Amino acid sequence: MPGARRSVSTDRDLTRLRAAITAFFFLDGFVFAGWVARIPAIKDQTGASEGALGLALLGVSAGGTATMMATGRLCRRYGNHPTTVAAGVLLAGSVALPPLTHSALALGLVLLVFGTGFGALNVAMNSAAVDLIAALRRPVMPGFHAAFSLGGMAGA
């Protein structure tokens, strides 16, 4: 009902949801920055030339691009929150894969998986954030993006 005060339990639920979404944004920045800081070591480990490394790094963009449209449909079908959690699990698991590679080709393939998790998580958590903003009826997105940046600083 427009203009009606939300119940205290609903306010608490929204506060917990805001904290959870903030944590996902922070962790997303942390994981991504942690990966980027390790690129030189992974390059040495794989013995990749600059050109081969550049091609392997395209895996992140290719995975993310391919996944982003599908993630919107997954959010509509299963909900933003379950999709966010599933994408977070995929991203967390995939970040452990690059250190296991020993060729540029293998690196490119695991970065395709990493990009898939990264792209899916970004779409899902932003969708969840937009829903929360609608429920709160005030702009809180800058705080989420600040959490991503803080996570990036911590991860680097």
Side-chain angles (χ1 to χ4, degrees), residues 17-38:
L17 182 57
R18 183 176 180 183
I21 294 170
T22 300
F24 271 98
F25 271 85
F26 179 89
L27 291 171
D28 187 46
F30 182 85
V31 168
F32 194 77
W35 148 246
V36 170
R38 296 176 57 214

Side-chain angles (χ1 to χ4, degrees), residues 23-109:
F24 271 98
F25 271 85
F26 179 89
L27 291 171
D28 187 46
F30 182 85
V31 168
F32 194 77
W35 148 246
V36 170
R38 296 176 57 214
I39 290 175
I42 299 292
K43 179 186 180 295
D44 291 343
Q45 174 186 308
T46 61
S49 67
E50 282 78 12
L53 178 65
L55 287 173
L57 290 172
L58 283 175
V60 177
S61 295
T65 301
T67 304
M68 288 180 175
M69 296 301 286
T71 302
R73 289 188 293 275
L74 291 172
C75 286
R76 280 191 306 277
R77 182 170 185 167
Y78 299 107
N80 295 330
H81 303 175
T83 305
T84 300
V85 171
V89 169
L90 176 61
L91 180 64
S94 67
V95 76
L97 298 176
L100 303 176
T101 62
H102 296 287
S103 71
L105 177 61
L107 179 62
L109 293 173

Side-chain angles (χ1 to χ4, degrees), residues 90-141:
L90 176 61
L91 180 64
S94 67
V95 76
L97 298 176
L100 303 176
T101 62
H102 296 287
S103 71
L105 177 61
L107 179 62
L109 293 173
V110 300
L111 290 180
L112 189 67
V113 176
F114 178 78
T116 297
F118 187 71
L121 181 59
N122 276 274
V123 169
M125 69 184 182
N126 274 284
S127 284
V130 167
D131 286 350
L132 179 63
I133 289 166
L136 292 172
R137 289 186 265 162
R138 60 190 170 97
V140 294
M141 188 66 84

